[in-house]
């Protein structure tokens, strides 16, 4: 169970990390924003890397909940699920204050594949790929790993397009692209 102080530190870090970047935000800034002390910080997190990993795990949980809800709303219909996902991506990626995908941002700031931050990013991206494979499994796609990779690339592109376009444009493009990848009568189907 997380203590209220740990949650306060994590909330402060989440706000600061997303707005300013992981490396730009010091532990001191998080401590100041949370209104606590270094002793208290280190009681809850062994290092800044541990805090960054906790931040990413929190963001991953939010995304997993959102995708899970889309799958539930789609009720087994892949196209319906992709429509819900596309609308959510369009809304999120074009919202005021959107600063990109926190996982893509973290990977850019921590390129070392052995860092705990990069491992947290990789874990989440593996979850996404697996989820895309499971989502499209009823379609009988012969290369589900490749299709999942393609859907991941489309999702990543939509995150970047959020800086540049309107929600409806991003959502429609994500949906069209996803449908093209899994579309009927293409080489991706039996």
């Amino acid at each position: 169970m997380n203590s209220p102080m740990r949650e306060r530190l994590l909330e402060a870090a989440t706000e600061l990390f997303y707005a300013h970047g992981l490396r730009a935000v010091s532990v001191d800034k998080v401590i100041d924003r949370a209104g606590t002390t270094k002793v208290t910080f280190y009681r809850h997190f062994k290092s800044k890397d541990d805090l960054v990993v906790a931040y990413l795990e929190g963001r991953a949980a939010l995304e997993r909940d959102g995708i899970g809800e889309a799958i539930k709303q789609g009720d087994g219909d892949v196209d319906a699920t992709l429509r819900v996902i596309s609308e959510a991506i369009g809304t999120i990626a074009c919202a005021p204050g959107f600063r990109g995908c926190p996982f893509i941002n973290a990977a850019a700031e921590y390129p070392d594949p052995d860092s705990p931050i990069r491992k947290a990013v990789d874990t989440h991206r593996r979850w996404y790929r697996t989820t895309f494979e499971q989502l499209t499994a009823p379609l009988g796609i012969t290369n589900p790993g490749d299709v999942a990779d393609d859907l991941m690339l489309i999702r990543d592109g939509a995150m970047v397009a959020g800086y540049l376009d309107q929600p409806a444009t991003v959502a429609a493009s994500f949906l069209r692209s996803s449908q093209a990848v899994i579309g009927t009568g293409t080489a991706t189907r039996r």
Side-chain angles (χ1 to χ4, degrees):
M1 181 173 162
N2 292 333
S3 74
M5 179 50 71
R6 185 181 192 283
E7 289 304 312
R8 199 159 88 199
L9 284 161
L10 196 49
E11 286 173 21
T14 297
E15 180 182 322
L16 291 168
F17 287 158
Y18 193 67
H20 303 288
L22 302 175
R23 291 199 183 271
V25 175
S26 67
V27 167
D28 289 337
K29 286 181 183 176
V30 173
I31 289 168
D32 185 52
R33 177 66 59 95
T36 191
T37 65
K38 279 189 180 187
V39 170
T40 301
F41 175 85
Y42 287 109
R43 208 177 282 145
H44 296 284
F45 298 98
K46 293 177 188 172
S47 67
K48 181 180 172 185
D49 282 1
D50 287 344
L51 177 63
V52 172
V53 168
Y55 155 73
L56 290 172
E57 288 171 346
R59 296 301 297 245
L62 289 173
E63 287 192 29
R64 290 173 184 176
D65 289 348
I67 296 296
E69 184 58 34
I71 291 168
K72 181 179 173 185
Q73 287 181 29
D75 195 29
D77 182 332
V78 176
D79 192 59
T81 300
L82 287 173
R83 285 180 189 283
V84 174
I85 292 171
S86 70
E87 289 169 13
I89 285 176
T91 300
I92 291 165
C94 298
F98 179 75
R99 297 194 41 87
C101 169
F103 300 93
I104 295 170
N105 295 346
E109 289 194 57
Y110 289 85
D112 177 3
D114 294 326
S115 77
I117 288 98
R118 196 54 190 267
K119 287 179 181 181
V121 169
D122 294 344
T123 296
H124 183 60
R125 291 180 68 78
R126 273 192 309 277
W127 172 85
Y128 242 119
R129 282 186 186 95
T130 299
T131 301
F132 281 142
E133 283 185 37
Q134 292 169 347
L135 173 65
T136 59
L139 301 175
I141 292 172
T142 59
N143 51 354
D146 290 347
V147 168
D149 287 343
D150 291 348
L151 292 174
M152 197 70 202
L153 183 67
I154 294 165
R155 179 252 181 222
D156 291 347
M159 293 288 102
V160 174
Y163 287 123
L164 308 169
D165 290 316
Q166 298 299 314
T169 303
V170 171
S173 182
F174 175 87
L175 183 60
R176 278 191 314 273
S177 299
S178 297
Q179 289 170 329
V181 166
I182 65 167
T184 57
T186 67
T188 60
R189 302 243 341 174
R190 286 184 194 242

